[in-house]
Amino acid sequence: MSEGVMVNRSREENGTAAVSGSASLPGSAMAAAVPGSEIQGQQGQAEQERPVGTARSKRVVLHLLPWLAGLCFLAMWQFRLFHQLFSLESYQLPVPSAIAASIRDNAEMLFRYALYSGTEMLGGFLLGSLLGALAAAGASFFPISGKAGIAVMSALNAVPIVALAPIMNNWFGDGIWSRIAVVAVITMAAMAVSLFKGLTSIQPQYGELLDGLAASRMQVFLKLRLPHAMPSLFAGLKINMSTSIIGAIVGEFFIASQGLGYLLSDQIRLANMPLAWSCIVIAAALGIVLYEAVVLAEKRLIPWNRVRTNA
């Protein structure tokens, strides 16, 4: 064998050994062996972490914005900027500190009246929502005639509460049942309309599939219509929870001996505006807490709807 052939073969063997040795090196060694690869890897990792941090900071800001806006509103109110803007006196619009002092001084009475108004609100809310849900469920079995019945029931929303409350007081007396009846009437129609829409807005292919499986009307209702209508059910509940506190408070403006609405109207006549505004604040807080309870129940019972709406 010639000397030139031996030299070429030794060069090839040395190149193969170098390649196999570099393949066996760990990732850090490879990165060190290639110039600039470590810097590029760090830049890529930073670019991947940057969107995650940006999205997290945006979520924090979005959560803090309502609280900051509320604090700014209270600060403007406390420093009488609204009084200067609308030419109001302190007895017309008490500042938050005066309202807080009134709540502290009358805490026992306000708690007792809030409990009374809350009972009216919850009783009417549950009764009206139940009656509206039963009406919508019955109408879904007969969609054509049921739609006409739901339309007639929705006309109850056009009746003003100030006209409905005296009628209920005349029918049920001046006790708690008259306010429960007022709240039930104004919540029944909203639930019936919302739930009926959810029960009947089914895609045709789903109904045809269950018809092909010889499913009965009740099975179609329980397996298809009711699960599909759960978001509409909770939409009606949230609407009813927001309006039930209005019905209870306005109903107490008429023949009543206790409750936040009764105390509110009485203190306005006496020009005791801090206590009157205390009733408004307690009623608003009660409505917000109960509304959030409905929202929490919706998240727990139908989590798939939250995922779909957030997508």
Side-chain angles (χ1 to χ4, degrees):
M1 184 179 296
S2 64
E3 183 179 358
V5 174
M6 293 178 64
V7 170
N8 291 334
R9 182 174 298 177
S10 63
R11 289 178 179 176
E12 293 177 357
E13 291 176 354
N14 292 334
T16 304
V19 171
S20 61
S22 63
S24 63
L25 289 175
S28 60
M30 287 289 292
V34 181
S37 62
E38 183 177 358
I39 299 176
Q40 293 177 357
Q42 293 177 355
Q43 290 178 350
Q45 185 177 2
E47 290 177 356
Q48 292 178 356
E49 293 177 353
R50 190 178 304 146
V52 176
T54 304
R56 187 181 296 111
S57 61
K58 286 182 178 179
R59 286 196 299 268
V60 172
V61 171
L62 289 176
H63 283 296
L64 290 178
L65 275 178
W67 295 97
L68 294 176
L71 291 175
C72 291
F73 179 82
L74 291 176
M76 294 172 63
W77 186 358
Q78 177 65 35
F79 291 107
R80 306 176 188 275
L81 295 180
F82 294 130
H83 297 75
Q84 299 176 6
L85 182 62
F86 299 106
S87 301
L88 297 174
E89 299 296 336
S90 298
Y91 69 90
Q92 294 174 309
L93 180 63
V95 295
S97 59
I99 298 173
S102 179
I103 293 176
R104 183 193 61 222
D105 297 337
N106 303 277
E108 184 180 355
M109 180 181 61
L110 288 172
F111 176 77
R112 186 173 67 253
Y113 283 8
L115 187 62
Y116 185 84
S117 297
T119 303
E120 295 173 345
M121 182 179 64
L122 280 177
F125 166 79
L126 294 175
L127 180 60
S129 299
L130 178 61
L131 293 176
L134 291 176
S140 66
F141 285 93
F142 309 98
I144 298 177
S145 58
K147 187 176 182 179
I150 295 298
V152 173
M153 184 176 293
S154 64
L156 293 174
N157 282 335
V159 179
I161 302 177
V162 294
L164 189 63
I167 296 175
M168 295 297 115
N169 287 331
N170 189 19
W171 287 2
F172 299 100
D174 59 350
I176 192 174
W177 284 105
S178 63
R179 268 79 69 188
I180 290 177
V182 171
V183 176
V185 170
I186 65 175
T187 56
M188 180 172 55
M191 173 56 71
V193 172
S194 179
L195 185 57
F196 179 77
K197 182 179 180 180
L199 290 172
T200 54
S201 60
I202 303 294
Q203 296 184 7
Q205 57 267 31
Y206 295 149
E208 293 172 359
L209 175 61
L210 290 181
D211 290 340
L213 297 174
S216 63
R217 282 189 174 185
M218 184 57 66
Q219 289 175 332
V220 172
F221 178 82
L222 295 177
K223 300 295 183 180
L224 177 61
R225 294 188 183 275
L226 187 58
H228 180 269
M230 289 299 290
S232 299
L233 172 67
F234 277 97
L237 290 176
K238 287 186 284 188
I239 294 172
N240 287 346
M241 185 57 74
S242 301
T243 57
S244 60
I245 187 65
I246 301 174
I249 296 298
V250 174
E252 290 172 352
F253 284 170
F254 298 90
I255 305 173
S257 58
Q258 55 182 325
L260 292 175
Y262 161 76
L263 184 62
L264 173 62
S265 61
D266 185 60
Q267 296 305 309
I268 289 177
R269 285 194 297 268
L270 298 175
N272 188 3
M273 297 309 295
L275 185 54
W277 275 90
S278 300
C279 297
I280 296 174
V281 171
I282 296 298
L286 183 62
I288 292 172
V289 169
L290 294 176
Y291 179 87
E292 290 298 326
V294 176
V295 172
L296 181 60
E298 180 184 15
K299 291 180 180 179
R300 294 294 180 88
L301 295 177
I302 51 172
W304 65 86
N305 184 60
R306 180 173 52 134
V307 173
R308 186 178 63 185
T309 53
N310 291 338

